[in-house]
């Protein structure tokens, strides 16, 4: 595939949602007013290719990174790829998130900063790192959950360290202590939870899970094909006739 062909690639719903998330952050930070936000959001959901998505965030801090084509299947870490391409340096796509009686979500292709701070009050948040890039080899996610919760999803191979404090709440430590892959990022989860919780869950990237699902379907089809009729696969009257011949 040549670079000239990339703008013509069809964008997915996930690609459009990543651009929409960048626009929401820009609105919250005052980089866009409401009229600009609504205009660009409408253009985002009407876009069909990467070439149409890229200009929407070109003048925002991410520099259009939200419209970057996804990693080809089989090249992500854990499937024969390398973590080196995911530790990109520079600044993160966003440095924090707030949910007050609401929710937030960071997922898809985004860059995790060296320190990401989030706060939830009577709300919830999701921080999904499975397809993310990392600004550094070690990143810190600082969570404050007051009568709310935060769910952090990490891919296999990432080392997790949990240092948060909970009062009538807690930080999930089940994924702590699992050795990381060579060169993989280290994610430190810190903060404070009061009548709330911060969960950490390890899941395979969506592309890998899709491959496993397809592989399972192929295996089932192969198994079904291996089942043969003891009378040669004949049915109905032909089968009965064959049965009489056998007698």
């Amino acid at each position: 595939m040549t670079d000239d062909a990339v703008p013509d690639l069809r964008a997915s719903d996930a690609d459009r949602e990543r651009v929409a998330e960048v626009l929401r952050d820009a609105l919250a930070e005052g980089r866009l007013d409401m009229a600009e936000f609504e205009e660009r959001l409408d253009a985002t959901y009407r876009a069909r290719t990467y070439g149409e998505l890229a200009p929407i965030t070109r003048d925002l801090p991410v520099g259009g990174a939200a419209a970057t084509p996804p990693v080809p299947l089989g090249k992500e870490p854990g499937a024969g790829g390398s973590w080196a391409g995911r530790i990109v340096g520079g600044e993160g796509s966003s440095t924090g998130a707030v949910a007050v009686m609401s929710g937030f979500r960071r997922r898809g292709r985004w860059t995790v900063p060296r320190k990401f701070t989030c706060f939830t009050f009577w709300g919830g948040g999701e921080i999904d790192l499975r397809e993310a890039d990392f600004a550094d080899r070690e990143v810190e996610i600082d969570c404050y959950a007051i009568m709310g919760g935060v769910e952090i999803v990490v891919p296999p191979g990432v080392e997790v360290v949990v240092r948060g404090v909970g009062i009538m709440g807690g930080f999930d430590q089940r994924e702590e202590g699992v050795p990381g892959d060579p060169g993989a990022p280290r994610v430190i989860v810190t903060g404070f939870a009061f009548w709330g919780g911060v969960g950490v869950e390890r899941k395979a990237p969506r592309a890998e899970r899709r491959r496993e699902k397809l592989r399972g379907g192929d295996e089932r089809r192969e198994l079904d094909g291996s089942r043969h009729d003891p009378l040669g696969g004949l049915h109905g009257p032909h089968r009965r006739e064959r049965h009489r011949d056998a007698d």
Side-chain angles (χ1 to χ4, degrees):
M1 181 187 303
T2 65
D3 292 339
D4 293 337
V6 169
D8 297 326
L9 290 177
R10 300 283 290 190
S12 68
D13 288 340
D15 296 320
R16 285 182 280 271
E17 189 55 41
R18 287 192 286 269
V19 174
E21 191 68 33
V22 172
L23 296 177
R24 294 186 190 103
D25 288 341
L27 177 66
E29 294 165 358
R31 300 180 191 276
L32 297 176
D33 60 32
M34 183 56 71
E36 291 174 312
F37 170 74
E38 292 177 348
E39 180 182 352
R40 296 193 190 199
L41 190 64
D42 180 63
T44 297
Y45 288 120
R46 286 189 288 104
R48 293 291 175 265
T49 66
Y50 288 114
E52 293 172 348
L53 280 177
I56 297 173
T57 56
R58 185 166 290 157
D59 59 346
L60 297 176
V62 294
T68 301
V71 177
L73 294 181
K75 296 300 183 181
E76 67 278 359
S82 169
W83 282 105
R86 302 258 312 257
I87 301 176
V88 297
E91 301 297 327
S93 300
S94 65
T95 58
V98 175
V100 177
M101 292 185 286
S102 61
F104 72 82
R105 174 181 289 177
R106 295 290 184 274
R107 64 187 305 182
R109 291 294 298 278
W110 66 294
T111 301
V112 185
R114 290 174 178 81
K115 184 171 183 178
F116 182 92
T117 303
C118 61
F119 174 82
T120 62
F121 175 75
W122 279 18
E126 179 188 1
I127 303 172
D128 191 334
L129 308 182
R130 289 177 292 174
E131 299 175 22
D133 293 327
F134 297 82
D136 203 345
R137 169 70 174 75
E138 182 174 287
V139 299
E140 180 178 326
I141 300 178
D142 202 10
C143 302
Y144 297 89
I146 311 298
M147 293 182 286
V150 178
E151 182 70 21
I152 301 171
V153 183
V154 300
V158 168
E159 181 186 0
V160 177
V161 178
V162 180
R163 297 175 180 168
V165 176
I167 298 178
M168 292 185 286
F171 280 71
D172 187 351
Q173 298 183 332
R174 289 175 297 176
E175 299 298 344
E176 189 174 29
V178 178
D181 290 343
R186 186 173 189 238
V187 177
I188 301 174
V189 180
T190 66
F192 176 77
F194 177 73
W195 279 19
V198 177
V200 182
E201 185 176 8
R202 197 179 300 273
K203 291 183 180 179
R206 280 182 285 270
E208 185 175 336
R209 295 173 70 183
R210 284 197 299 269
R211 282 201 305 277
E212 290 296 329
K213 185 176 180 180
L214 291 172
R215 187 178 298 119
D218 291 340
E219 290 175 353
R220 285 193 297 273
R221 285 192 292 272
E222 183 178 347
L223 179 61
D224 290 341
S226 67
R227 295 170 181 164
H228 62 279
D229 192 306
L231 297 179
L234 299 177
H235 301 278
H238 298 288
R239 175 169 181 163
R240 289 193 295 271
E241 188 67 31
R242 178 73 171 271
H243 186 61
R244 284 196 296 269
D245 293 343
D247 292 340

